[in-house]
Amino acid sequence: MVNINFKELNIESVSKSFPGVQALDNVSMKISAGKVHALMGENGAGKSTLIKILAGAYSKDTGNILFDQNKLNIRNPNDSLNYGIKVVYQEISLISEFSVAENIFLDNFPTNSLGVMNWNKLYKDTEELFNRVGFNLNPKSKISDLSISQQQMVEIARAVFKNASVVIMDEPTSSLTPNEIEKLFTVIKNLKQNNIAILYVTHKIDEIFKIADEVTVLRDGQHISNKLISETNEELIIKDMVGRTVNATFERPKDILSAKTVMKVEKISSKNKIKNVSFDLHEGEILGFFGLMGAGRTELAKAVFGYDKITEGQIEVNNNIYKSFNTSTMVNNGIGYITEDRKGEGIVKDMNLRENMSLPSLKIFEDLFIINRKREKKAADEYIKKFSVKTPSSERLITLLSGGNQQKVLVSRWLIRELKIIILDEPTRGVDIGAKTEVLSLINDLAKQGLSVLLMTSEMNDLLSLSDRILVMADGKISKEFYRGKVTQEEIFKASVN
Amino acid sequence: MKIVSWFLAAIITLSLAMSISANPKRIGYIVNYGTHEWYQNVIFGLQSRADELGIDLEVMDANLDINKQTQQAEDFMTKGVDVLIMTPVNEEGVVPILRKAKAEGMPTVLEGNPAKGMTTLFAICDYDAGYKAGDAVGRILVSRGESQARVMDVGLPLLSATLLRSLGFMEALAQHVDAVKVHELDGSGMIDSSVEVASAALAADSNINVIYGINDGSALGGLQAWRAAGLPEDDLVVAGTGSEGLAFLNEMTKEGTPYLVEAAMFPEGVGYTGMNLAVDLFNGVDVPEHKVTPTLALTVHNFAKYYDFDKAGQKRAINFENVAKIPTETKCTKYSSDL
Amino acid sequence: MKYFQTNESILFGLLVLLCIFLSFYNPQFYSIQNIHSILRSSSTVMIVAFGMTILLTSGEVDLSVGALMSFVTVIVMDVINITGSISLGLIAVFGFCLFIGLINGLVRTVLNVNSLIATLAMMLILQGSVYVYSMAAIYNTHLIPLFSFIGQGFFLNIPMPVVIMLFILPFFVVLLNYTRYGRYFSSIGSNPDAAKLSGINNNRYKVIGFVITSLLVGVSGVILASLMDTGQQGSAKGFELIVIAAVLLGGTSFMGGKGTIIGTILGILILKIIDNGIILMRIPQEFQLIVPGFILILAVYFDGVRKKNSG
């Protein structure tokens, strides 16, 4: 075991790059023992990369991590745990049928000399641990009977029970009620008193003023600012976070909002987060939806498309009003959907390129009941050419294509049919920077030909460069509406964190 | 004085009458597989005799589950029936039940299969039943002027009881003609499997003039395979075994059918005999270890003596009186230990 | 070309080898009688297997086919006995099968019960309720020659069950390979989310798959009843396993997404010829279960190996 008496965890000039992306660029920061250090930044700022490097899940390209002056050698998650660096992730990873105590000591059950579980010691140790960190939980309770905040406490207790030196919390409050958040803060204060260094990663600005001692802002993988909490305020932090320049803006028609309405969404709610959402979409309009992780963008897209059932409200398309509908209703109304999860929800792995491309549009290739494979192939070849998909033929199994080429097939899937509206969920995620502009310009061109676009994104750049209108989402609701050219990044961000 | 002697005479007569009719009041029967036609008819026989004697019969179905059978036996013992009749799910499995019954002084009768520690058993003789059918078929062949029997045996080679039937059949046949077993098949005792295996066997060699089935489904399956292969039925003789239900009666009464012989085992008669045995045991009468129940080769000429068959209503009624007149063996000619 | 992909070629090769081997052993193998026997007993399996291929392709399975088939033999025999009309018997059978298929499909899609469990439950329900319908087997008392013809007759010297199977076959080859429904079934089985996000109503097609399978069981059940000349409870025991084994052997994936009718047909022929060979060679009949068991494991294993190499 490493000596974990230290004053500061020093992160010195750490860099990490992935193909096409510089995820971290010479980032330095110091996290003091007994302090809460907030780490902030937009999606893609580099927060998760930094957490994963500290946790040993990624290796850094250059730079050093030290306890005071002692270099740490983190090669894998185990090393990291041995240094006492513990991460509490957003998702609860407890065994729900086990008791609190069993979960905490999962990999280290107290046993007697015969290897038989010592239940008394297990419960006593758990109780002692809880006293130390100030928890009030019965060690014998079953996890599935606990509230989410209580489960999170168990996660934290599990993280700190063995020599924690640094505790990293990744968006710990995203699923907590205000009351539960207060309880969590009490726990964090207790951890501070135990001289543990805490890295608190969040996008909720108001929280850091309650709990953090210091705040560091990252943007596009770079260190932007580091301030004591007493020396900063909300405005300054947002400015640091979003102050990025928009790479490209596109020329958009000015009078788009006076075009006819093609879709009218009225007060829809779903079991999946969406609450009372209404909006109109005009012909040829690009309507951007911005929201942070968990704001409900994907859920809204899926509810509108009929993937998730709506529990309230209605949608009007093509003069038809739908209260209950499925994806096939929406596809028949000329609506398409491109998922953010290409592998999971996009490609059909047992099918070839042609079959993947024609899947929603098979009806148009039918002669009587039989698919006319010649026409189908011709259409596929046309789009292979149009998007220069790299493939020897349209008969190639889709899984043998690269990710980017698969994405092109998925876009073509909708373009070979008559389309009025397309729903795009994070169209530039995982696309390298060069291709990003290409994707955005394609969207712009399609909209100019009269296609209406629902653009769900967490990328400020995509949003500002394309959207005619911007709807900001938070917690499943629409919190604010903005118009093209009459909004700043700060305003959008502020609306998204409320 | 006269009155007293009258009185005495009356009491003696009454007590005598009572001792004669001192029947058990309640009898329990645990069947091993109650949904099967055979056992349906065994139960019918038990019930018929019980009704005649004014006995209350209660039936439980173990459904081929020995644990269930054990539980049901205990239930009967707790309830306190006068005699317990069982068809063992398996011979080893009932041994503990028999031991417990003995300890509690519960008279127990087994049906079908013997088990260690049993008092008495009522069952058919499989070998002899098969033998009687073979004998009848042999006579038919001889009357037709045939000198050879080429047999397709639609059997169940995993069970000793059905092996004994096939053996008896072949040995009796050999008394009359030159008997050759061309096919020995496993039809699982089911009509559909029998059709399938018999089809394949007939394709390999259809030079057959006798089909023997170890039960009605097997015989019928063999015959149906013959028909599906489009083979001529003129020189064929089919014999089934069991008289389990309506199958053989329906087929046998068809115009021109080759299904001429049934090794009848009279399941109703089995039940009837079993009930008598149970009453005897209860009354302390000396009972044999194995009470053989009647079997007989039935043909279209003699079946009406034993079964009143209502073809339209798909019902059969047994004539217990005539069945009881069938001479039965005191001991089987061959047992599974002879195999 | 597509319909003799590698998998089918391998199966076809295996089939040819089997035939050569058996004909060396017993020349009777090529007798017209034996071929009739093999084809006749294959065709009831094939008819149901067409539906099972569709179900497995869409990622579902139906374990209730054997129990339903046995129930069908009882219903068809009873209704024709009572009414004296084959048409009414068929209407009763297909009405009943439609109902059972719908229930299977709705339990799967509306109640969201895994089809392995849903249809296992249906199997138990049918196995029990057939005895509620009738304790005793139902024998042919109507004696209508046309009914016996269905299972036992010949048309142009081809057994009727085979004729019926050949009549149904093209419909399913076309359905699975040349229509959009075939694509729908395989996309639903391969990636249900992607299918749904392409505007396909997954649940509708799953219900259709279950209904088609049950109706085909109706066809096979009527043939079986005619062949047995009896409505027999407890017949077609283990039928579902033979069907599923044959479909898997044919190259249809248990995980869905990939199905082939031609492969299914080859799979059934292989299993049935092994059955037949065991009787021809007078090998103990227990091997009728043992040999296909091993073949199935090998087939699925090689399928996995091939997939890994190509993926």
mmCIF file of all heavy atoms in Angstrom, chain C residues 198-232:
data_model
loop_
_atom_site.group_PDB
_atom_site.id
_atom_site.type_symbol
_atom_site.label_atom_id
_atom_site.label_comp_id
_atom_site.label_asym_id
_atom_site.label_seq_id
_atom_site.Cartn_x
_atom_site.Cartn_y
_atom_site.Cartn_z
ATOM 1 N N SER C 198 -37.064 2.215 -38.134
ATOM 2 C CA SER C 198 -37.250 2.316 -39.580
ATOM 3 C C SER C 198 -38.726 2.286 -39.925
ATOM 4 O O SER C 198 -39.100 2.108 -41.077
ATOM 5 C CB SER C 198 -36.544 1.157 -40.294
ATOM 6 O OG SER C 198 -35.162 1.231 -40.051
ATOM 7 N N GLY C 199 -39.562 2.415 -38.914
ATOM 8 C CA GLY C 199 -40.993 2.489 -39.160
ATOM 9 C C GLY C 199 -41.673 1.141 -39.262
ATOM 10 O O GLY C 199 -42.779 1.045 -39.774
ATOM 11 N N ILE C 200 -41.017 0.092 -38.782
ATOM 12 C CA ILE C 200 -41.635 -1.232 -38.832
ATOM 13 C C ILE C 200 -42.366 -1.485 -37.515
ATOM 14 O O ILE C 200 -41.831 -1.209 -36.444
ATOM 15 C CB ILE C 200 -40.563 -2.313 -39.071
ATOM 16 C CG1 ILE C 200 -39.929 -2.104 -40.443
ATOM 17 C CG2 ILE C 200 -41.174 -3.709 -38.983
ATOM 18 C CD1 ILE C 200 -38.649 -2.853 -40.656
ATOM 19 N N ASN C 201 -43.584 -1.993 -37.643
ATOM 20 C CA ASN C 201 -44.362 -2.289 -36.448
ATOM 21 C C ASN C 201 -43.998 -3.691 -35.970
ATOM 22 O O ASN C 201 -44.633 -4.676 -36.319
ATOM 23 C CB ASN C 201 -45.850 -2.196 -36.792
ATOM 24 C CG ASN C 201 -46.711 -2.287 -35.559
ATOM 25 O OD1 ASN C 201 -46.281 -2.771 -34.513
ATOM 26 N ND2 ASN C 201 -47.933 -1.809 -35.673
ATOM 27 N N ASN C 202 -42.914 -3.758 -35.181
ATOM 28 C CA ASN C 202 -42.372 -5.056 -34.756
ATOM 29 C C ASN C 202 -43.440 -5.992 -34.213
ATOM 30 O O ASN C 202 -43.505 -7.154 -34.576
ATOM 31 C CB ASN C 202 -41.323 -4.861 -33.661
ATOM 32 C CG ASN C 202 -40.116 -4.116 -34.146
ATOM 33 O OD1 ASN C 202 -40.156 -3.504 -35.207
ATOM 34 N ND2 ASN C 202 -39.035 -4.155 -33.393
ATOM 35 N N ASN C 203 -44.260 -5.455 -33.317
ATOM 36 C CA ASN C 203 -45.222 -6.312 -32.635
ATOM 37 C C ASN C 203 -46.205 -6.939 -33.601
ATOM 38 O O ASN C 203 -46.553 -8.101 -33.470
ATOM 39 C CB ASN C 203 -45.975 -5.514 -31.566
ATOM 40 C CG ASN C 203 -45.088 -5.276 -30.358
ATOM 41 O OD1 ASN C 203 -43.992 -5.827 -30.275
ATOM 42 N ND2 ASN C 203 -45.546 -4.451 -29.443
ATOM 43 N N ARG C 204 -46.624 -6.139 -34.581
ATOM 44 C CA ARG C 204 -47.588 -6.682 -35.536
ATOM 45 C C ARG C 204 -46.993 -7.900 -36.251
ATOM 46 O O ARG C 204 -47.626 -8.943 -36.376
ATOM 47 C CB ARG C 204 -47.982 -5.631 -36.563
ATOM 48 C CG ARG C 204 -48.938 -6.205 -37.602
ATOM 49 C CD ARG C 204 -49.024 -5.366 -38.847
ATOM 50 N NE ARG C 204 -49.633 -4.072 -38.583
ATOM 51 C CZ ARG C 204 -49.618 -3.075 -39.464
ATOM 52 N NH1 ARG C 204 -49.006 -3.231 -40.626
ATOM 53 N NH2 ARG C 204 -50.182 -1.934 -39.172
ATOM 54 N N TYR C 205 -45.744 -7.764 -36.694
ATOM 55 C CA TYR C 205 -45.147 -8.859 -37.450
ATOM 56 C C TYR C 205 -44.853 -10.065 -36.566
ATOM 57 O O TYR C 205 -44.889 -11.207 -37.011
ATOM 58 C CB TYR C 205 -43.921 -8.381 -38.225
ATOM 59 C CG TYR C 205 -44.359 -7.463 -39.348
ATOM 60 C CD1 TYR C 205 -44.243 -6.083 -39.242
ATOM 61 C CD2 TYR C 205 -44.955 -7.988 -40.482
ATOM 62 C CE1 TYR C 205 -44.700 -5.247 -40.243
ATOM 63 C CE2 TYR C 205 -45.413 -7.168 -41.494
ATOM 64 C CZ TYR C 205 -45.280 -5.802 -41.370
ATOM 65 O OH TYR C 205 -45.747 -4.988 -42.361
ATOM 66 N N LYS C 206 -44.557 -9.796 -35.308
ATOM 67 C CA LYS C 206 -44.359 -10.934 -34.400
ATOM 68 C C LYS C 206 -45.657 -11.712 -34.234
ATOM 69 O O LYS C 206 -45.666 -12.944 -34.288
ATOM 70 C CB LYS C 206 -43.860 -10.449 -33.044
ATOM 71 C CG LYS C 206 -42.410 -10.056 -33.122
ATOM 72 C CD LYS C 206 -41.782 -9.739 -31.798
ATOM 73 C CE LYS C 206 -40.291 -9.509 -32.037
ATOM 74 N NZ LYS C 206 -39.554 -9.200 -30.841
ATOM 75 N N VAL C 207 -46.753 -10.998 -34.036
ATOM 76 C CA VAL C 207 -48.045 -11.678 -33.900
ATOM 77 C C VAL C 207 -48.342 -12.466 -35.172
ATOM 78 O O VAL C 207 -48.746 -13.635 -35.118
ATOM 79 C CB VAL C 207 -49.173 -10.661 -33.609
ATOM 80 C CG1 VAL C 207 -50.524 -11.354 -33.649
ATOM 81 C CG2 VAL C 207 -48.959 -10.002 -32.258
ATOM 82 N N ILE C 208 -48.087 -11.841 -36.327
ATOM 83 C CA ILE C 208 -48.313 -12.536 -37.595
ATOM 84 C C ILE C 208 -47.483 -13.821 -37.654
ATOM 85 O O ILE C 208 -47.967 -14.877 -38.060
ATOM 86 C CB ILE C 208 -47.980 -11.610 -38.788
ATOM 87 C CG1 ILE C 208 -49.050 -10.517 -38.890
ATOM 88 C CG2 ILE C 208 -47.905 -12.401 -40.098
ATOM 89 C CD1 ILE C 208 -48.767 -9.466 -39.946
ATOM 90 N N GLY C 209 -46.232 -13.741 -37.204
ATOM 91 C CA GLY C 209 -45.361 -14.919 -37.186
ATOM 92 C C GLY C 209 -45.957 -16.050 -36.356
ATOM 93 O O GLY C 209 -45.977 -17.209 -36.789
ATOM 94 N N PHE C 210 -46.453 -15.712 -35.174
ATOM 95 C CA PHE C 210 -47.047 -16.750 -34.320
ATOM 96 C C PHE C 210 -48.308 -17.326 -34.952
ATOM 97 O O PHE C 210 -48.549 -18.532 -34.892
ATOM 98 C CB PHE C 210 -47.376 -16.181 -32.931
ATOM 99 C CG PHE C 210 -46.177 -16.084 -32.034
ATOM 100 C CD1 PHE C 210 -45.589 -14.852 -31.751
ATOM 101 C CD2 PHE C 210 -45.628 -17.220 -31.472
ATOM 102 C CE1 PHE C 210 -44.477 -14.761 -30.937
ATOM 103 C CE2 PHE C 210 -44.515 -17.137 -30.647
ATOM 104 C CZ PHE C 210 -43.934 -15.910 -30.380
ATOM 105 N N VAL C 211 -49.115 -16.451 -35.561
ATOM 106 C CA VAL C 211 -50.370 -16.923 -36.166
ATOM 107 C C VAL C 211 -50.067 -17.851 -37.350
ATOM 108 O O VAL C 211 -50.648 -18.935 -37.460
ATOM 109 C CB VAL C 211 -51.246 -15.732 -36.598
ATOM 110 C CG1 VAL C 211 -52.390 -16.206 -37.476
ATOM 111 C CG2 VAL C 211 -51.791 -15.010 -35.371
ATOM 112 N N ILE C 212 -49.130 -17.433 -38.202
ATOM 113 C CA ILE C 212 -48.775 -18.281 -39.350
ATOM 114 C C ILE C 212 -48.314 -19.654 -38.863
ATOM 115 O O ILE C 212 -48.740 -20.689 -39.370
ATOM 116 C CB ILE C 212 -47.650 -17.615 -40.184
ATOM 117 C CG1 ILE C 212 -48.205 -16.414 -40.945
ATOM 118 C CG2 ILE C 212 -47.034 -18.615 -41.156
ATOM 119 C CD1 ILE C 212 -47.165 -15.664 -41.752
ATOM 120 N N THR C 213 -47.456 -19.659 -37.859
ATOM 121 C CA THR C 213 -46.944 -20.937 -37.353
ATOM 122 C C THR C 213 -48.087 -21.818 -36.846
ATOM 123 O O THR C 213 -48.161 -23.005 -37.164
ATOM 124 C CB THR C 213 -45.923 -20.689 -36.230
ATOM 125 O OG1 THR C 213 -44.916 -19.817 -36.733
ATOM 126 C CG2 THR C 213 -45.285 -21.977 -35.766
ATOM 127 N N SER C 214 -49.001 -21.229 -36.079
ATOM 128 C CA SER C 214 -50.110 -22.028 -35.548
ATOM 129 C C SER C 214 -50.992 -22.575 -36.669
ATOM 130 O O SER C 214 -51.443 -23.722 -36.602
ATOM 131 C CB SER C 214 -50.962 -21.188 -34.598
ATOM 132 O OG SER C 214 -50.256 -20.953 -33.416
ATOM 133 N N LEU C 215 -51.233 -21.745 -37.691
ATOM 134 C CA LEU C 215 -52.069 -22.219 -38.803
ATOM 135 C C LEU C 215 -51.394 -23.389 -39.521
ATOM 136 O O LEU C 215 -52.047 -24.357 -39.916
ATOM 137 C CB LEU C 215 -52.347 -21.078 -39.785
ATOM 138 C CG LEU C 215 -53.274 -19.977 -39.244
ATOM 139 C CD1 LEU C 215 -53.389 -18.831 -40.242
ATOM 140 C CD2 LEU C 215 -54.653 -20.529 -38.915
ATOM 141 N N LEU C 216 -50.069 -23.298 -39.676
ATOM 142 C CA LEU C 216 -49.350 -24.392 -40.317
ATOM 143 C C LEU C 216 -49.417 -25.657 -39.468
ATOM 144 O O LEU C 216 -49.494 -26.767 -39.989
ATOM 145 C CB LEU C 216 -47.895 -23.983 -40.573
ATOM 146 C CG LEU C 216 -47.726 -22.903 -41.651
ATOM 147 C CD1 LEU C 216 -46.290 -22.404 -41.683
ATOM 148 C CD2 LEU C 216 -48.119 -23.444 -43.018
ATOM 149 N N VAL C 217 -49.398 -25.475 -38.139
ATOM 150 C CA VAL C 217 -49.580 -26.627 -37.256
ATOM 151 C C VAL C 217 -50.939 -27.261 -37.542
ATOM 152 O O VAL C 217 -51.070 -28.487 -37.548
ATOM 153 C CB VAL C 217 -49.475 -26.207 -35.778
ATOM 154 C CG1 VAL C 217 -49.880 -27.358 -34.873
ATOM 155 C CG2 VAL C 217 -48.070 -25.748 -35.448
ATOM 156 N N GLY C 218 -51.939 -26.418 -37.820
ATOM 157 C CA GLY C 218 -53.257 -26.931 -38.186
ATOM 158 C C GLY C 218 -53.174 -27.855 -39.396
ATOM 159 O O GLY C 218 -53.725 -28.955 -39.388
ATOM 160 N N VAL C 219 -52.435 -27.417 -40.424
ATOM 161 C CA VAL C 219 -52.294 -28.227 -41.634
ATOM 162 C C VAL C 219 -51.643 -29.571 -41.296
ATOM 163 O O VAL C 219 -52.157 -30.643 -41.628
ATOM 164 C CB VAL C 219 -51.441 -27.485 -42.700
ATOM 165 C CG1 VAL C 219 -51.224 -28.382 -43.906
ATOM 166 C CG2 VAL C 219 -52.111 -26.180 -43.101
ATOM 167 N N SER C 220 -50.506 -29.495 -40.577
ATOM 168 C CA SER C 220 -49.796 -30.727 -40.245
ATOM 169 C C SER C 220 -50.626 -31.621 -39.336
ATOM 170 O O SER C 220 -50.570 -32.847 -39.439
ATOM 171 C CB SER C 220 -48.471 -30.396 -39.551
ATOM 172 O OG SER C 220 -47.478 -30.172 -40.505
ATOM 173 N N GLY C 221 -51.382 -31.009 -38.437
ATOM 174 C CA GLY C 221 -52.207 -31.776 -37.506
ATOM 175 C C GLY C 221 -53.285 -32.560 -38.234
ATOM 176 O O GLY C 221 -53.561 -33.719 -37.894
ATOM 177 N N VAL C 222 -53.882 -31.941 -39.246
ATOM 178 C CA VAL C 222 -54.908 -32.630 -40.017
ATOM 179 C C VAL C 222 -54.276 -33.821 -40.757
ATOM 180 O O VAL C 222 -54.825 -34.924 -40.785
ATOM 181 C CB VAL C 222 -55.596 -31.668 -41.011
ATOM 182 C CG1 VAL C 222 -56.491 -32.434 -41.968
ATOM 183 C CG2 VAL C 222 -56.396 -30.618 -40.247
ATOM 184 N N ILE C 223 -53.090 -33.595 -41.323
ATOM 185 C CA ILE C 223 -52.398 -34.694 -42.008
ATOM 186 C C ILE C 223 -52.117 -35.829 -41.027
ATOM 187 O O ILE C 223 -52.345 -37.004 -41.318
ATOM 188 C CB ILE C 223 -51.072 -34.193 -42.635
ATOM 189 C CG1 ILE C 223 -51.376 -33.189 -43.747
ATOM 190 C CG2 ILE C 223 -50.247 -35.362 -43.157
ATOM 191 C CD1 ILE C 223 -50.148 -32.552 -44.347
ATOM 192 N N LEU C 224 -51.633 -35.457 -39.833
ATOM 193 C CA LEU C 224 -51.299 -36.481 -38.833
ATOM 194 C C LEU C 224 -52.548 -37.267 -38.437
ATOM 195 O O LEU C 224 -52.509 -38.494 -38.305
ATOM 196 C CB LEU C 224 -50.650 -35.835 -37.606
ATOM 197 C CG LEU C 224 -50.221 -36.810 -36.513
ATOM 198 C CD1 LEU C 224 -49.113 -37.729 -36.995
ATOM 199 C CD2 LEU C 224 -49.775 -36.072 -35.255
ATOM 200 N N ALA C 225 -53.659 -36.556 -38.250
ATOM 201 C CA ALA C 225 -54.898 -37.225 -37.848
ATOM 202 C C ALA C 225 -55.311 -38.225 -38.922
ATOM 203 O O ALA C 225 -55.727 -39.344 -38.618
ATOM 204 C CB ALA C 225 -56.002 -36.202 -37.630
ATOM 205 N N SER C 226 -55.168 -37.818 -40.172
ATOM 206 C CA SER C 226 -55.532 -38.708 -41.266
ATOM 207 C C SER C 226 -54.597 -39.921 -41.307
ATOM 208 O O SER C 226 -55.026 -41.044 -41.504
ATOM 209 C CB SER C 226 -55.468 -37.946 -42.577
ATOM 210 O OG SER C 226 -55.467 -38.840 -43.665
ATOM 211 N N LEU C 227 -53.327 -39.658 -41.072
ATOM 212 C CA LEU C 227 -52.326 -40.723 -41.105
ATOM 213 C C LEU C 227 -52.554 -41.715 -39.969
ATOM 214 O O LEU C 227 -52.415 -42.927 -40.144
ATOM 215 C CB LEU C 227 -50.939 -40.068 -40.973
ATOM 216 C CG LEU C 227 -49.757 -40.723 -41.655
ATOM 217 C CD1 LEU C 227 -50.036 -40.985 -43.113
ATOM 218 C CD2 LEU C 227 -48.538 -39.826 -41.514
ATOM 219 N N MET C 228 -52.918 -41.209 -38.780
ATOM 220 C CA MET C 228 -53.150 -42.088 -37.634
ATOM 221 C C MET C 228 -54.560 -42.658 -37.668
ATOM 222 O O MET C 228 -54.870 -43.593 -36.959
ATOM 223 C CB MET C 228 -52.985 -41.322 -36.314
ATOM 224 C CG MET C 228 -51.614 -40.735 -36.057
ATOM 225 S SD MET C 228 -51.429 -40.157 -34.344
ATOM 226 C CE MET C 228 -52.691 -38.914 -34.209
ATOM 227 N N ASP C 229 -55.430 -42.005 -38.440
ATOM 228 C CA ASP C 229 -56.847 -42.351 -38.481
ATOM 229 C C ASP C 229 -57.472 -42.185 -37.089
ATOM 230 O O ASP C 229 -58.443 -42.832 -36.749
ATOM 231 C CB ASP C 229 -57.034 -43.804 -38.970
ATOM 232 C CG ASP C 229 -58.395 -43.974 -39.636
ATOM 233 O OD1 ASP C 229 -58.888 -42.987 -40.204
ATOM 234 O OD2 ASP C 229 -58.960 -45.073 -39.566
ATOM 235 N N THR C 230 -56.877 -41.323 -36.303
ATOM 236 C CA THR C 230 -57.270 -41.176 -34.907
ATOM 237 C C THR C 230 -56.973 -39.742 -34.450
ATOM 238 O O THR C 230 -56.032 -39.124 -34.934
ATOM 239 C CB THR C 230 -56.419 -42.115 -34.006
ATOM 240 O OG1 THR C 230 -56.461 -43.419 -34.525
ATOM 241 C CG2 THR C 230 -56.912 -42.112 -32.568
ATOM 242 N N GLY C 231 -57.793 -39.229 -33.544
ATOM 243 C CA GLY C 231 -57.434 -38.005 -32.831
ATOM 244 C C GLY C 231 -56.835 -38.429 -31.511
ATOM 245 O O GLY C 231 -57.531 -38.979 -30.660
ATOM 246 N N GLN C 232 -55.540 -38.229 -31.354
ATOM 247 C CA GLN C 232 -54.847 -38.851 -30.224
ATOM 248 C C GLN C 232 -54.201 -37.803 -29.322
ATOM 249 O O GLN C 232 -53.316 -37.077 -29.759
ATOM 250 C CB GLN C 232 -53.778 -39.806 -30.761
ATOM 251 C CG GLN C 232 -52.959 -40.501 -29.699
ATOM 252 C CD GLN C 232 -53.731 -41.605 -29.007
ATOM 253 O OE1 GLN C 232 -54.160 -42.563 -29.619
ATOM 254 N NE2 GLN C 232 -53.931 -41.447 -27.710
#
